[in-house]
Amino acid sequence: MDFELTTEQKSFQSTVRSFAEKEFRPYTQILDRLEDRSEEIIRRLGELKMMGIAVPEAYGGAGLDSVSHALALMEVSRWCGHIGAVMTAHSLYCFTMMTCGSHEQKIKYLLPCASGEAIGCYALSEAGAGSDISKIRTTAVRQGHEWVISGKKEFVTNGNISSYCVVAAVVQDREGEKETRFFVLDLKAAPGIGIGSADDQVDIPAFGTSELVFEKAKVSEGALLGKNNDGFGKTLSSLDMARVGIASQAVGIGRAVLEESVRHAKTREQFGKPIGSFQAIQWKLADMATELDAAELMTLKAAWLNDNQKPFHKEAAMAKMYASDVTMRASIEGVQILGGHSYRVKHAMERHIRDAKICQIYAGTNEIMRLLIAENLVKGN
Ligand SMILES: Cc1cc2nc3c(=O)[nH]c(=O)nc-3n(C[C@H](O)[C@H](O)[C@H](O)COP(=O)(O)OP(=O)(O)OC[C@H]3O[C@@H](n4cnc5c(N)ncnc54)[C@H](O)[C@@H]3O)c2cc1C
């Protein structure tokens, strides 16, 4: 058993660390200023091949492994959870294309995104279909050599900045059987697609989330992803990698919270002593550090399982659930350690608590992760 990263992983981690520190350090307290620079930062991430880390070079990516992808998200999210969220949503698009796309579809739709020239997004959720995705109402109807897509998606991260999107829609076969399938769309080329402006989200103000409205949007028959006998479950498997991505985001945010808490505990004096000398504060720091280390190990293990072609569906859910729960806990304790100082809008700690909270919700809430883990345990997986 080896806990050491490989030389290549260490070198990549160090490149991302330097990049993130240089790009984000001046803006960590005043995020509004970062918003003006978000697009430029994403362009730079693309140049560094960080928008397609685990995508093979043949399809425009960096050709690295899932562990490197997780490490990069930890480093970026340590400074900026918002850009971490943009990267995770974009990666979810890329993973879906990798899992379900044909070679031709990958060249056309994955390559521009993995190389960082274009952004991708993933549209699954609808007004009536959040945790319960069997309630998807968007439809895709075959008409000659085209598919006609109608419906409305909500909460699409990167929706307003993406060129390409994978969309889940219900199709009906000749026997009347219905099943949900994914389609890949060029958002700028297909007629009948409306892109709502970014919602006023509590979180990820870098770009927000958008509605995507499909009004009899016509796309070619080549837009359908996956082979005919691929069930929806197989095409949904890209969510496992996204969950490892969210676990990584959470670990990065948690590290930032811990560093800020330790710094404050060492420098803030009350009753003539640094508050870090009080046991009540020390216990909080010890719990935060221990839980974050465990979360990091679980996250890297899930990524490693994927790299080694081993099942990681349950482990991805465990890492996402645990890392986001302990980071949320650490954020609440971090606010407590900083006292009133943290309770200022635009203080980094105030932002961390929002960034941590969303990790418990998207790509399947933590309640759904618990159901999924238990379901696998009962099945003996
Ligand atoms: C900032 C942000 C970005 C997002 N980005 C995307 C995106 O890019 N693409 C996309 O498709 N979606 C995206 N989403 C949607 C996200 O995945 C959903 O919000 C999430 O899956 C939960 O669905 P819901 O909000 O409808 O909550 P609901 O499903 O209505 O759940 C509400 C509450 O009930 C609980 N609950 C529901 N069912 C059960 C059950 N069976 N047992 C126990 N508890 C249950 C939930 O855990 C939750 O606590 C995003 C959401 C946000 C807020």
Side-chain angles (χ1 to χ4, degrees):
M1 189 167 194
D2 189 357
F3 284 99
E4 275 288 320
L5 298 176
T6 64
T7 314
E8 195 180 31
Q9 288 162 346
K10 273 190 207 159
S11 151
F12 182 66
Q13 182 188 42
S14 144
T15 306
V16 184
R17 185 169 290 168
S18 314
F19 168 83
E21 187 162 350
K22 180 165 157 281
E23 293 292 333
F24 301 125
R25 187 190 278 280
Y27 303 98
T28 44
Q29 308 286 64
I30 317 152
L31 200 72
D32 290 350
R33 286 196 202 160
L34 176 64
E35 283 169 42
D36 301 338
R37 299 188 59 247
S38 296
E39 289 200 41
E40 185 201 324
I41 288 173
I42 289 170
R43 189 184 51 72
R44 293 264 301 113
L45 285 168
E47 284 167 7
L48 291 170
K49 294 268 178 200
M50 278 161 46
M51 296 303 273
I53 296 164
V55 175
E57 286 173 293
Y59 296 121
L64 298 176
D65 55 10
S66 309
V67 167
S68 302
H69 183 255
L71 293 170
L73 275 167
M74 287 176 195
E75 294 299 331
V76 168
S77 305
R78 179 168 155 246
W79 291 100
C80 184
H82 304 208
I83 298 291
V86 170
M87 286 172 73
T88 296
H90 173 86
S91 306
L92 178 51
Y93 168 88
C94 292
F95 294 140
T96 309
M97 290 307 301
M98 267 172 31
T99 318
C100 316
S102 64
H103 173 66
E104 291 71 28
Q105 286 170 328
K106 286 177 186 163
I107 294 289
K108 189 167 175 193
Y109 299 108
L110 174 60
L111 198 145
C113 289
S115 62
E117 286 157 34
I119 307 281
C121 62
Y122 183 90
L124 181 66
S125 304
E126 298 180 6
S131 301
D132 183 3
I133 52 175
S134 72
K135 293 292 182 294
I136 286 176
R137 291 288 170 263
T138 297
T139 55
V141 177
R142 188 78 183 252
Q143 277 184 6
H145 292 296
E146 289 181 321
W147 287 98
V148 181
I149 300 185
S150 307
K152 197 200 261 187
K153 297 289 175 179
E154 63 172 21
F155 285 127
V156 183
T157 305
N158 298 348
N160 58 335
I161 55 163
S162 289
S163 302
Y164 302 102
C165 179
V166 288
V167 179
V170 178
V171 297
Q172 198 166 358
D173 65 18
R174 285 199 184 90
E175 285 76 46
E177 284 294 310
K178 288 183 178 174
E179 67 167 333
T180 306
R181 300 294 300 259
F182 275 105
F183 293 81
V184 60
L185 271 62
D186 180 338
L187 290 174
K188 295 188 174 151
I193 302 178
I195 302 172
S197 60
D199 299 333
D200 210 2
Q201 292 287 340
V202 173
D203 187 58
I204 49 174
F207 295 112
T209 64
S210 306
E211 273 185 2
L212 293 183
V213 183
F214 304 98
E215 286 176 357
K216 296 191 176 165
K218 287 188 176 165
V219 294
S220 73
E221 58 186 345
L224 178 65
L225 289 172
K227 299 197 180 78
N228 278 341
N229 55 356
D230 280 354
F232 189 45
K234 176 160 190 246
T235 51
L236 269 184
S237 63
S238 53
L239 273 172
D240 292 336
M241 264 314 292
R243 285 172 189 151
V244 178
I246 292 170
S248 312
Q249 273 175 246
V251 169
I253 297 161
R255 292 273 171 230
V257 167
L258 180 62
E259 283 161 22
E260 185 74 9
S261 304
V262 170
R263 192 195 58 73
H264 192 77
K266 280 159 73 177
T267 53
R268 172 73 173 164
E269 291 197 2
Q270 287 294 281
F271 302 98
K273 293 178 187 168
I275 59 164
S277 64
F278 302 131
Q279 228 176 39
I281 302 292
Q282 289 173 350
W283 287 10
K284 291 186 198 303
L285 295 176
D287 286 350
M288 284 157 83
T290 307
E291 291 182 344
L292 282 169
D293 264 18
E296 184 170 330
L297 284 173
M298 287 174 74
T299 304
L300 293 177
K301 179 186 168 189
W304 179 91
L305 287 170
N306 185 33
D307 286 335
N308 288 277
Q309 288 83 49
K310 293 176 192 290
F312 72 113
H313 182 53
K314 180 181 77 200
E315 288 74 9
M318 286 169 143
K320 190 263 187 200
M321 178 196 82
Y322 186 75
S324 57
D325 279 355
V326 302
T327 291
M328 192 61 214
R329 207 150 47 230
S331 305
I332 291 169
E333 293 295 32
V335 166
Q336 195 67 18
I337 292 170
L338 267 77
H341 300 268
S342 64
Y343 221 71
R344 293 189 174 123
V345 175
K346 296 197 176 139
H347 190 289
M349 196 62 97
E350 183 269 341
R351 178 163 52 82
H352 295 324
I353 204 165
R354 285 183 283 120
D355 290 348
K357 184 65 203 166
I358 190 60
C359 292
Q360 295 181 305
I361 297 173
Y362 54 17
T365 64
N366 283 3
E367 288 79 6
I368 298 300
M369 293 305 99
R370 285 178 168 85
L371 289 180
L372 193 155
I373 295 161
E375 200 180 277
N376 274 273
L377 289 173
V378 172
K379 279 187 200 159
N381 295 338

